[in-house]
Amino acid sequence: MKQELLHLLHICDPMLPIGSFSHSYGLETYTQLEAVKSPEDVLSFLQEMLIHTVLPNDASFISLTYDACDNNNWQKIIELDELCHASKLPMEIRNASQKLGIRLTKIFSPLILSEITKKTEASINTKELFGHYCILFGVFAHQLNIKKEDAIQGYFYNTAIGFITNAVKLIPLGQDTGQQLIFKLLPLITELSKKALHPDINRLGISSVGFDIRSMEHEKLYSRLYMS
């Protein structure tokens, strides 16, 4: 097994202690409204989320950040981080992205010790970078010599696993059902990962209004298991 694959498994591990298990990214709102209440609903939710939110946003930001690292273009990384910050309209989602990114930096920056990871950590401390998760994921994946398509594919997979884990708890679903859902999503993940290799700049940061509204409603739910 190549070491790059091990690095990919490490950075995409759902058990990585960055706090992602604390967030449902609006799914909790959908389940409380009973808009998502069956395996079929979860599959539809995930397909729409991956296609219309993750692809033109986080996955595209990872791809462009990876390219900026290839070109040693630090200013471009700053610009992408700022655009990412502006495009995350719900406060809980924006805060979650920063918290996960900063925690990812605390784990990987001391392990890699490259010039760009040192600059990344310093820029977060000085507030030059907001430190969004997808931006920093792209930086660290690049520095770990993970191929760009593999990194993007791993990110899609990690995102899908996170939502399915939440759905198992919230609806609830059986564990076997959760595994069937991720298996059904694998061809879509492969397809979207290829598309993200060359993002459509005109769609970068595009808003999915329905998901944004449900994420904004989350903070006012009567009871909550998740922070977003």
Side-chain angles (χ1 to χ4, degrees), residues 29-220:
T29 307
Y30 278 93
T31 58
Q32 287 203 18
L33 293 173
E34 296 190 347
V36 175
K37 58 183 179 180
S38 69
E40 293 75 23
D41 292 338
V42 175
L43 182 61
S44 178
F45 172 89
L46 279 166
Q47 289 169 335
E48 295 299 308
M49 177 66 76
L50 295 177
I51 293 169
H52 299 296
T53 296
V54 180
L55 174 60
N57 287 279
D58 284 13
S60 293
F61 280 119
I62 290 170
S63 181
L64 294 171
T65 299
Y66 198 102
D67 293 343
C69 290
D70 262 349
N71 297 322
N72 198 26
N73 189 343
W74 178 251
Q75 185 57 39
K76 186 64 175 180
I77 294 174
I78 294 175
E79 291 173 3
L80 290 168
D81 186 58
E82 290 174 346
L83 181 56
C84 181
H85 188 76
S87 68
K88 293 186 180 298
L89 303 182
M91 178 191 65
E92 289 186 345
I93 302 300
R94 189 167 57 250
N95 291 344
S97 178
Q98 287 180 269
K99 288 177 181 177
L100 267 60
I102 291 170
R103 184 59 190 152
L104 189 74
T105 301
K106 289 181 178 178
I107 293 173
F108 282 97
S109 187
L111 300 177
I112 300 173
L113 295 176
S114 69
E115 197 63 39
I116 195 168
T117 57
K118 291 177 184 176
K119 184 181 287 189
T120 299
E121 186 173 23
S123 296
I124 290 174
N125 292 334
T126 61
K127 310 298 183 183
E128 184 181 26
L129 283 177
F130 290 104
H132 283 283
Y133 177 50
C134 56
I135 303 297
L136 300 178
F137 184 96
V139 169
F140 293 122
H142 180 274
Q143 295 300 289
L144 290 167
N145 296 317
I146 299 169
K147 292 180 180 178
K148 185 166 80 164
E149 185 174 358
D150 292 344
I152 294 170
Q153 200 162 15
Y155 188 91
F156 271 114
Y157 179 83
N158 179 272
T159 300
I161 283 288
F163 276 117
I164 289 173
T165 300
N166 293 338
V168 167
K169 297 176 184 177
L170 288 167
I171 293 178
L173 298 176
Q175 294 288 348
D176 288 350
T177 301
Q179 295 306 307
Q180 292 164 10
L181 287 171
I182 191 63
F183 190 81
K184 290 178 181 178
L185 285 169
L186 294 180
L188 177 63
I189 288 173
T190 300
E191 176 189 344
L192 296 179
S193 299
K194 292 184 183 299
K195 289 183 178 180
L197 286 173
H198 305 288
D200 182 348
I201 304 300
N202 294 320
R203 290 178 57 82
L204 188 63
I206 195 169
S207 173
S208 296
V209 178
F211 292 129
D212 284 347
I213 290 173
R214 296 300 176 232
S215 295
M216 292 173 183
E217 291 174 339
H218 182 266
E219 63 179 302
K220 295 186 178 180

